Amino acid sequence: MTLSHQEPGLSCPAVIADNRGGVAAAVEHLLEHGHERIAFAGCLAQFDIQERYAAYRDTLAAHGIEPDPAWFFEAPDNMDQAAGTLPRR
């Protein structure tokens, strides 16, 4: 079994998260509550995070909000302890 993506040439089950749908729903929820300055944190070296970041940007743009680079926080990795290395605002 693979996690996160299907490996070409490998015939086995894969567990794949709905990264785009989940983030789009989360951003929509925040927008419905009047929030417009929504931050994103993650390590873009991982495919899942790239999908999530694209959905974040696309959802904001669909509501006429230009994603602000100042609200993106690049994490050194996707481990829990990396959250402590992000700058505080």
Side-chain angles (χ1 to χ4, degrees), residues 18-33 55-56 59:
D18 182 7
N19 292 309
R20 293 188 68 82
V23 167
V27 172
E28 291 279 354
H29 177 79
L30 293 170
L31 291 169
E32 288 170 5
H33 286 277
Y56 159 81
T59 306

Side-chain angles (χ1 to χ4, degrees), residues 46-57:
Q46 184 185 23
F47 177 76
D48 282 341
I49 305 304
Q50 292 171 18
E51 280 191 333
R52 294 172 192 171
Y53 186 55
Y56 159 81
R57 293 176 54 83

